[in-house]
Amino acid sequence: MIGRLRGEVIEKQPPYLLLDVNGVGYELEAPMSTFYNLGDVGTTAKLYTHLSIRDDAHILFGFSSDNERKLFRTLIKVNGVGPKLALSILSAMDMTTFIQCVNQEEVSKLTRIPGVGKKTAERLIIEMRDKLNVSNASAQKNNSSAAPQGSLTEGLTSPADDAVGALIALGYKPQEASRLVNKVQQEGVTSSEELIRKALQSAL
């Protein structure tokens, strides 16, 4: 089992990233909360990992903190919540916000996350209530509140294109993704990661 990786960030295109570890390139999927804490392409990153084994693929997920990984592992144990939906949840809100939603039974707020219907939201509240704790939330809030660093790619796409692509990969419909990004662009936000962060916040 691969538990942690430390290497050079080669590519960043949420929710995917490529990490070079001693000459071996590891492809990972990660929530936006992790991307916010990554440096520029070419810098060193340390990620906690979770390996998901399916019949057709082995998928490696990366997280900036062990608390974030623990929440991911708890989420995928909930009936009806797979890795992709867990990534969407972690991208849409930090641990503190998620815990508040669960404790205050905010079904309507959870259902604003793509892929989370009313039944899934209710199931999350019931099954997650006793599994979350404030200490983990505080630690994760500190980790996820760092300012975004760097750009997502060094390619030819614009920051807005990168942001729209990331939202679509997280489950938003193309039209909705474009609307959310255009909205925050009008507020003067220009960097890719900040566009994604603000768009996700406005969706809630």
Side-chain angles (χ1 to χ4, degrees):
M1 176 66 72
I2 301 172
R4 191 182 73 171
L5 292 173
R6 183 178 184 274
E8 180 184 352
V9 178
I10 303 300
E11 295 179 11
K12 297 166 62 180
Q13 184 58 59
Y16 308 102
L17 64 92
L18 182 64
L19 200 67
D20 185 316
V21 181
N22 297 323
V24 179
Y26 287 87
E27 293 182 349
L28 303 98
E29 296 187 25
M32 284 310 304
S33 51
T34 290
F35 276 91
Y36 297 147
N37 291 300
L38 288 178
D40 294 327
V41 169
T43 60
T44 298
K46 181 181 72 175
L47 297 173
Y48 293 87
T49 60
H50 172 86
L51 179 62
S52 175
I53 300 177
R54 303 186 330 208
D55 292 338
D56 59 344
H58 289 193
I59 304 174
L60 194 62
F61 296 91
F63 307 93
S64 59
S65 73
D66 189 37
N67 283 323
E68 191 174 53
R69 179 175 63 176
K70 286 177 180 176
L71 178 55
F72 175 84
R73 287 175 168 173
T74 304
L75 282 168
I76 61 177
K77 292 178 181 177
V78 175
N79 186 31
V81 178
K84 182 176 181 179
L85 183 53
L87 282 190
S88 293
I89 293 171
L90 288 173
S91 294
M93 56 181 65
D94 59 30
M95 287 184 68
T96 300
T97 304
F98 180 72
I99 288 173
Q100 289 174 345
C101 285
V102 170
N103 288 337
Q104 297 173 14
E105 300 185 6
E106 295 184 275
V107 173
S108 61
K109 193 167 186 177
L110 289 171
T111 55
R112 294 173 193 162
I113 301 172
V116 179
K118 183 177 180 181
K119 289 184 178 179
T120 301
E122 292 172 344
R123 192 177 300 118
L124 280 168
I125 290 171
I126 293 171
E127 296 189 29
M128 295 293 291
R129 185 182 290 120
D130 298 329
K131 299 177 181 178
L132 300 173
N133 60 73
V134 175
S135 61
N136 277 352
S138 298
Q140 179 61 19
K141 183 178 182 181
N142 291 335
N143 285 333
S144 64
S145 60
Q149 303 179 43
S151 60
L152 296 179
T153 68
E154 295 182 348
L156 300 176
T157 58
S158 69
D161 289 338
D162 290 335
V164 171
L167 292 178
I168 292 172
L170 291 170
Y172 286 87
K173 295 180 179 179
Q175 184 176 0
E176 177 67 3
S178 296
R179 185 188 69 79
L180 291 171
V181 171
N182 287 336
K183 178 181 178 181
V184 295
Q185 268 191 309
Q186 293 171 4
E187 298 172 0
V189 182
T190 57
S191 71
S192 301
E193 293 180 7
E194 190 65 8
L195 280 170
I196 298 169
R197 181 199 287 267
K198 294 292 186 181
L200 289 168
Q201 289 175 345
S202 68
L204 299 176

